[in-house]
Amino acid sequence: MEYLHFCNTQREEITEENLKKISNLDIDYSPLYSKNLSFNHLNKIYDFIHFPKLIQRLCVKHKINLIISRGAPAGSLAFLATKKNKIPFVVESFEPHADYMKAAGQWKSYGLKYLFQKHWEAQQKKYAKAVITVAENYRNCLIEEGVNKGKIFVAPCAVDQNIFYKDIGLRKKIRLELNIPDNAVVGVYAGKFGGLYLEEKAFQIFSKAFEEIKDFHLLLLTNTDSNWLNEMISQYNLPSNRIYIKFVSYNEVNNYLNAADFAFALYKINIVSQYLSPVKIGEYWACGLAAYITQNLGDEMHWIEEKKLGVILDGNEQNIFNNLMDFSSQEIIRNGIEIRSIEKVSQVYKQILN
């Protein structure tokens, strides 16, 4: 008999709503609850001792013969849980998580979290049956490191076309709601500022858009502190009456993307940026929006130039928004869906499981 058993780490009790969603998937579910000790480092140490033992017991109880973990931190638990029982494990969305956290300013290179995660990532590269990266760039990096290329697969972060799609009716509805004229040019930015994302420099780019595009309006879908946002708007003398700040649920993001003509994905250039696969870019493309991205960003920097899916910003260009009319919304949707299709992920799993 074949079946899936799902477990995840929980810092709090799972809500009835989420429990119902999981039960509707017809899979076995076992949450792994943290002790939530007051001292964070002690709590992490406890988690990485306790959780692998719980996973080992689940493997015995349910006769598990393959573990699939999502992300390098979960891969660390899978590695620790399989050291004795030798059950094969796969790590999906494998990325240099320790360096990711360091680049985001969350971890220090001499910190315990960084050192342990870095060590466990090395063990995953060595012992995982397969690793699935989200970018071809990182696959190439792993091959250069000496990881067996036969066990490295690539599956970019996929986008569900049933959730993100172009809809003229939504465009009219949201523009009416925000009081944006039909003929205005709207740029949208979705996500936070800081960490891996640009902060003040993002507003320099927004300022150029206001300078170069007649009747430009900016839509910020973010939960970033409003005081800081207003400070940036004031500092760069941006027209606040043409800037709309909204923080909406995931289910509503598609509505607001449809109100836009193009979109921004503004990341800091660092050691990990070329290994990313920002899901927001796939969501932009699914809605037919050209993506204005920063340099050295995932495989997207290649696709954008080859398929005409947007613009790569180098920080020094002038008149960067003059070519907005050169993009075909339908071509962006067609190529974007092909690049970020769920079918691609499905094909990778079929290869691994076969």
Side-chain angles (χ1 to χ4, degrees), residues 14-15 20 28 47 66 79 87 115 120-121 132 135 159 162 181 191 198 221 235 247 250 256 260-261 290 325 341:
I14 188 168
T15 64
K20 185 177 180 181
D28 293 311
D47 286 349
L66 175 67
F79 161 71
I87 294 173
L115 294 173
W120 287 328
E121 284 170 23
I132 307 172
V159 174
N162 295 313
L198 293 182
L221 302 178
Q235 181 176 323
F247 179 58
Y250 181 74
Y256 288 87
D261 296 289
M325 301 306 295
S341 69

Short mmCIF file of all heavy atoms in Angstrom, two decimals, residues 14-15 20 28 47 66 79 87 115 120-121 132 135 159 162 181 191 198 221 235 247 250 256 260-261 290 325 341:
data_model
loop_
_atom_site.label_atom_id
_atom_site.label_comp_id
_atom_site.label_asym_id
_atom_site.label_seq_id
_atom_site.Cartn_x
_atom_site.Cartn_y
_atom_site.Cartn_z
N ILE A 14 -1.90 23.97 16.02
CA ILE A 14 -2.44 24.16 14.67
C ILE A 14 -3.91 24.57 14.75
O ILE A 14 -4.66 24.08 15.60
CB ILE A 14 -2.29 22.86 13.82
CG1 ILE A 14 -2.68 23.13 12.37
CG2 ILE A 14 -3.10 21.71 14.41
CD1 ILE A 14 -2.27 22.01 11.43
N THR A 15 -4.30 25.50 13.91
CA THR A 15 -5.68 25.99 13.94
C THR A 15 -6.62 24.95 13.35
O THR A 15 -6.22 24.09 12.54
CB THR A 15 -5.81 27.29 13.12
OG1 THR A 15 -5.52 27.02 11.75
CG2 THR A 15 -4.84 28.36 13.64
N LYS A 20 -8.35 21.25 9.09
CA LYS A 20 -9.38 20.82 8.15
C LYS A 20 -8.82 20.74 6.73
O LYS A 20 -9.11 19.80 5.98
CB LYS A 20 -10.57 21.79 8.19
CG LYS A 20 -11.75 21.35 7.34
CD LYS A 20 -12.92 22.31 7.49
CE LYS A 20 -14.10 21.87 6.64
NZ LYS A 20 -15.25 22.80 6.76
N ASP A 28 -2.00 11.14 6.08
CA ASP A 28 -1.75 11.06 7.53
C ASP A 28 -0.94 12.29 7.94
O ASP A 28 -0.06 12.74 7.21
CB ASP A 28 -0.97 9.79 7.86
CG ASP A 28 -1.79 8.54 7.61
OD1 ASP A 28 -2.94 8.51 8.07
OD2 ASP A 28 -1.29 7.62 6.94
N ASP A 47 15.19 21.25 19.80
CA ASP A 47 14.44 20.86 18.60
C ASP A 47 15.23 19.89 17.74
O ASP A 47 14.70 18.88 17.25
CB ASP A 47 14.08 22.09 17.76
CG ASP A 47 12.96 22.92 18.39
OD1 ASP A 47 12.33 22.43 19.35
OD2 ASP A 47 12.71 24.05 17.92
N LEU A 66 10.77 6.31 2.42
CA LEU A 66 11.36 7.46 1.75
C LEU A 66 10.92 8.73 2.47
O LEU A 66 9.74 8.89 2.78
CB LEU A 66 10.92 7.54 0.28
CG LEU A 66 11.38 8.78 -0.49
CD1 LEU A 66 12.89 8.77 -0.67
CD2 LEU A 66 10.69 8.88 -1.86
N PHE A 79 18.34 14.34 7.54
CA PHE A 79 19.66 13.72 7.65
C PHE A 79 19.89 13.13 9.04
O PHE A 79 20.32 11.98 9.18
CB PHE A 79 20.75 14.76 7.34
CG PHE A 79 22.11 14.38 7.86
CD1 PHE A 79 22.82 13.34 7.27
CD2 PHE A 79 22.67 15.04 8.95
CE1 PHE A 79 24.07 12.97 7.77
CE2 PHE A 79 23.91 14.68 9.45
CZ PHE A 79 24.62 13.64 8.86
N ILE A 87 17.17 5.18 5.96
CA ILE A 87 16.07 5.42 5.03
C ILE A 87 16.51 6.51 4.05
O ILE A 87 17.04 7.55 4.47
CB ILE A 87 14.79 5.86 5.77
CG1 ILE A 87 14.27 4.72 6.65
CG2 ILE A 87 13.70 6.31 4.80
CD1 ILE A 87 13.11 5.12 7.54
N LEU A 115 26.95 27.85 11.82
CA LEU A 115 27.95 26.78 11.75
C LEU A 115 27.30 25.40 11.66
O LEU A 115 27.72 24.55 10.85
CB LEU A 115 28.89 26.85 12.96
CG LEU A 115 29.77 28.10 13.03
CD1 LEU A 115 30.52 28.16 14.36
CD2 LEU A 115 30.77 28.12 11.87
N TRP A 120 25.39 20.75 8.33
CA TRP A 120 24.32 19.83 7.92
C TRP A 120 24.03 19.93 6.42
O TRP A 120 23.66 18.93 5.80
CB TRP A 120 23.06 20.12 8.74
CG TRP A 120 23.17 19.65 10.16
CD1 TRP A 120 23.87 18.57 10.61
CD2 TRP A 120 22.58 20.25 11.32
NE1 TRP A 120 23.74 18.45 11.99
CE2 TRP A 120 22.96 19.46 12.44
CE3 TRP A 120 21.76 21.35 11.53
CZ2 TRP A 120 22.55 19.76 13.74
CZ3 TRP A 120 21.35 21.66 12.82
CH2 TRP A 120 21.75 20.87 13.91
N GLU A 121 24.20 21.11 5.84
CA GLU A 121 24.03 21.23 4.40
C GLU A 121 25.07 20.39 3.66
O GLU A 121 24.77 19.75 2.65
CB GLU A 121 24.12 22.70 3.97
CG GLU A 121 22.88 23.50 4.31
CD GLU A 121 23.06 25.00 4.11
OE1 GLU A 121 23.96 25.39 3.32
OE2 GLU A 121 22.32 25.78 4.74
N ILE A 132 16.96 18.80 -4.94
CA ILE A 132 16.24 19.56 -5.97
C ILE A 132 16.46 21.04 -5.69
O ILE A 132 15.99 21.56 -4.66
CB ILE A 132 14.73 19.25 -5.96
CG1 ILE A 132 14.49 17.73 -6.04
CG2 ILE A 132 14.02 19.97 -7.10
CD1 ILE A 132 13.04 17.34 -5.82
N ALA A 135 17.11 26.70 -8.83
CA ALA A 135 17.77 27.44 -9.90
C ALA A 135 18.87 26.59 -10.53
O ALA A 135 19.60 25.88 -9.84
CB ALA A 135 18.37 28.74 -9.36
N VAL A 159 4.03 28.25 -10.01
CA VAL A 159 2.88 29.14 -9.77
C VAL A 159 1.61 28.44 -10.27
O VAL A 159 1.58 27.90 -11.37
CB VAL A 159 3.06 30.49 -10.49
CG1 VAL A 159 1.81 31.33 -10.36
CG2 VAL A 159 4.26 31.23 -9.92
N ASN A 162 -4.44 28.68 -11.52
CA ASN A 162 -5.80 28.86 -11.03
C ASN A 162 -5.89 29.98 -10.00
O ASN A 162 -6.97 30.48 -9.70
CB ASN A 162 -6.32 27.56 -10.42
CG ASN A 162 -6.45 26.45 -11.45
OD1 ASN A 162 -7.00 26.67 -12.53
ND2 ASN A 162 -5.94 25.27 -11.13
N PRO A 181 -6.95 56.22 -12.42
CA PRO A 181 -7.52 56.39 -13.77
C PRO A 181 -7.21 55.19 -14.68
O PRO A 181 -6.15 54.56 -14.54
CB PRO A 181 -6.83 57.65 -14.28
CG PRO A 181 -6.38 58.38 -13.05
CD PRO A 181 -6.05 57.33 -12.04
N GLY A 191 5.83 42.58 -1.45
CA GLY A 191 6.80 42.03 -0.51
C GLY A 191 7.35 43.08 0.43
O GLY A 191 6.96 44.24 0.41
N LEU A 198 16.06 45.21 -1.39
CA LEU A 198 16.53 46.59 -1.33
C LEU A 198 15.67 47.40 -0.37
O LEU A 198 14.48 47.12 -0.19
CB LEU A 198 16.50 47.24 -2.71
CG LEU A 198 17.47 46.70 -3.77
CD1 LEU A 198 17.32 47.51 -5.05
CD2 LEU A 198 18.90 46.73 -3.29
N LEU A 221 2.38 46.48 -2.16
CA LEU A 221 1.70 45.43 -1.40
C LEU A 221 2.68 44.93 -0.34
O LEU A 221 3.46 44.01 -0.57
CB LEU A 221 1.27 44.29 -2.34
CG LEU A 221 0.36 44.68 -3.50
CD1 LEU A 221 0.04 43.46 -4.37
CD2 LEU A 221 -0.94 45.31 -2.99
N GLN A 235 11.42 61.65 1.72
CA GLN A 235 12.83 61.88 1.42
C GLN A 235 13.08 62.01 -0.07
O GLN A 235 13.90 62.83 -0.51
CB GLN A 235 13.67 60.74 2.01
CG GLN A 235 15.17 60.89 1.78
CD GLN A 235 15.95 59.79 2.46
OE1 GLN A 235 15.61 59.35 3.56
NE2 GLN A 235 17.01 59.32 1.82
N PHE A 247 -1.73 46.00 2.47
CA PHE A 247 -1.27 44.68 2.89
C PHE A 247 -2.48 43.76 2.81
O PHE A 247 -3.43 43.92 3.57
CB PHE A 247 -0.69 44.70 4.30
CG PHE A 247 -0.22 43.35 4.76
CD1 PHE A 247 0.74 42.65 4.04
CD2 PHE A 247 -0.74 42.77 5.90
CE1 PHE A 247 1.17 41.40 4.44
CE2 PHE A 247 -0.31 41.51 6.32
CZ PHE A 247 0.65 40.83 5.59
N TYR A 250 -2.98 36.51 0.93
CA TYR A 250 -2.43 35.86 -0.26
C TYR A 250 -3.50 35.66 -1.32
O TYR A 250 -3.23 35.81 -2.52
CB TYR A 250 -1.82 34.51 0.15
CG TYR A 250 -1.21 33.75 -1.00
CD1 TYR A 250 0.01 34.15 -1.55
CD2 TYR A 250 -1.84 32.63 -1.55
CE1 TYR A 250 0.58 33.47 -2.61
CE2 TYR A 250 -1.27 31.95 -2.62
CZ TYR A 250 -0.07 32.36 -3.13
OH TYR A 250 0.49 31.68 -4.19
N TYR A 256 -4.83 42.54 -7.04
CA TYR A 256 -4.08 43.80 -7.09
C TYR A 256 -2.98 43.78 -8.15
O TYR A 256 -2.65 44.83 -8.72
CB TYR A 256 -3.54 44.13 -5.70
CG TYR A 256 -4.64 44.56 -4.77
CD1 TYR A 256 -5.36 43.61 -4.04
CD2 TYR A 256 -5.01 45.89 -4.66
CE1 TYR A 256 -6.40 43.99 -3.21
CE2 TYR A 256 -6.06 46.28 -3.84
CZ TYR A 256 -6.75 45.33 -3.12
OH TYR A 256 -7.79 45.72 -2.31
N ALA A 260 -2.06 46.42 -12.23
CA ALA A 260 -0.77 47.00 -12.64
C ALA A 260 -0.46 46.75 -14.11
O ALA A 260 -1.10 45.93 -14.78
CB ALA A 260 0.34 46.44 -11.77
N ASP A 261 0.56 47.49 -14.60
CA ASP A 261 1.06 47.33 -15.97
C ASP A 261 2.42 46.65 -16.00
O ASP A 261 2.81 46.06 -17.00
CB ASP A 261 1.18 48.70 -16.64
CG ASP A 261 -0.18 49.36 -16.79
OD1 ASP A 261 -0.99 48.90 -17.61
OD2 ASP A 261 -0.45 50.34 -16.04
N ALA A 290 5.42 42.56 -17.08
CA ALA A 290 6.87 42.57 -17.26
C ALA A 290 7.52 42.81 -15.90
O ALA A 290 7.04 43.62 -15.11
CB ALA A 290 7.27 43.69 -18.23
N MET A 325 5.98 49.59 -23.69
CA MET A 325 5.06 49.18 -24.75
C MET A 325 5.64 48.06 -25.61
O MET A 325 4.95 47.50 -26.45
CB MET A 325 4.70 50.38 -25.63
CG MET A 325 4.04 51.53 -24.87
SD MET A 325 2.57 51.00 -23.93
CE MET A 325 1.49 50.50 -25.27
N SER A 341 5.85 26.32 -14.48
CA SER A 341 4.70 25.42 -14.41
C SER A 341 4.85 24.37 -13.31
O SER A 341 5.95 23.90 -13.02
CB SER A 341 4.49 24.71 -15.75
OG SER A 341 5.54 23.79 -15.99
#
